[in-house]
Amino acid sequence: MYFAALLARTEDGWEASDTELDDVETLSDLADLAREASPDEDTVLVLIEQEDAWFGVVRVDGEDDPRIYVSDAAAAQRSAYGELLLTDELLGREPGADDVPDLDSLDLDGTEDGESEDDDEEGAAGDAVPHSPVGDSEILDDLGISEKELRTLDADDALNTIAEALGASEVLETVR
């Protein structure tokens, strides 16, 4: 089960709204959605969690590029919402580089229809994404959540802990 919410900082404190990510196809779309939540170009946090598996925070400050933190890249990669956040840059890959070789570089030796000669080959490519946090672990430092605190959060209660530290737990609960 997924949960996604926007927390927008205003003069009066934090405002929360739940959000549907079904129409969001790219990180740029997600950043635009966040910017719409704050016409004054204040800080907006997009909080995403998959129950007990991973959580992500996307921070948008005005027109600045979004900053991203994902608690478990490998778990997030297995979800559509997580794939939005796991950019090549975030994973330390060459932009545009795919794990899938192009057709000209394939060795078509007759094994492509049956089992691979090396059954571990596909697993090795999947392991390229770490089972650890990726992104900007200092994303919430100026809001009262240190890098160390962020890295120690459990996926099952992370968003509540973040909202509590921001003084936004009540507004987040209203959209949960």
Side-chain angles (χ1 to χ4, degrees):
M1 181 172 171
Y2 292 94
F3 173 74
L6 297 173
L7 281 180
R9 186 164 53 179
T10 68
E11 291 177 1
D12 301 325
W14 291 95
E15 291 181 6
S17 57
D18 62 343
T19 186
E20 275 297 321
L21 298 180
D22 293 342
D23 295 332
V24 175
E25 295 180 7
T26 66
L27 181 59
S28 183
D29 292 345
L30 185 61
D32 290 343
L33 181 70
R35 288 184 185 104
E36 290 172 12
S38 178
D40 295 330
E41 295 189 5
D42 287 324
T43 298
V44 178
L45 301 176
V46 181
L47 305 174
I48 303 171
E49 71 179 359
Q50 180 181 2
E51 195 172 279
D52 298 334
W54 66 275
F55 71 93
V57 179
V58 178
R59 179 176 177 162
V60 178
D61 293 303
E63 291 300 317
D64 292 347
D65 287 340
R67 296 167 57 193
I68 305 164
Y69 175 82
V70 176
S71 67
D72 183 334
Q77 183 181 32
R78 293 186 297 269
S79 80
Y81 298 144
E83 285 182 341
L84 281 174
L85 307 180
L86 297 174
T87 63
D88 288 334
E89 182 181 333
L90 192 71
L91 294 172
R93 294 181 184 156
E94 192 67 33
D98 290 332
D99 289 338
V100 179
D102 68 31
L103 290 176
D104 294 334
S105 68
L106 290 176
D107 178 17
L108 301 176
D109 62 0
T111 61
E112 62 275 2
D113 291 331
E115 290 188 23
S116 169
E117 288 179 13
D118 183 6
D119 288 337
D120 294 333
E121 186 176 321
E122 188 177 340
D127 292 341
V129 177
H131 283 280
S132 62
V134 294
D136 185 352
S137 56
E138 297 175 353
I139 192 169
L140 301 173
D141 270 358
D142 64 325
L143 299 175
I145 301 170
S146 71
E147 174 181 0
K148 181 179 178 184
E149 290 171 307
L150 187 61
R151 288 182 170 272
T152 61
L153 292 177
D154 288 327
D156 62 339
D157 195 41
L159 300 191
N160 291 332
T161 303
I162 291 169
E164 190 174 307
L166 299 174
S169 58
E170 287 184 21
V171 294
L172 183 64
E173 272 307 308
T174 63
V175 297
R176 222 181 234 284

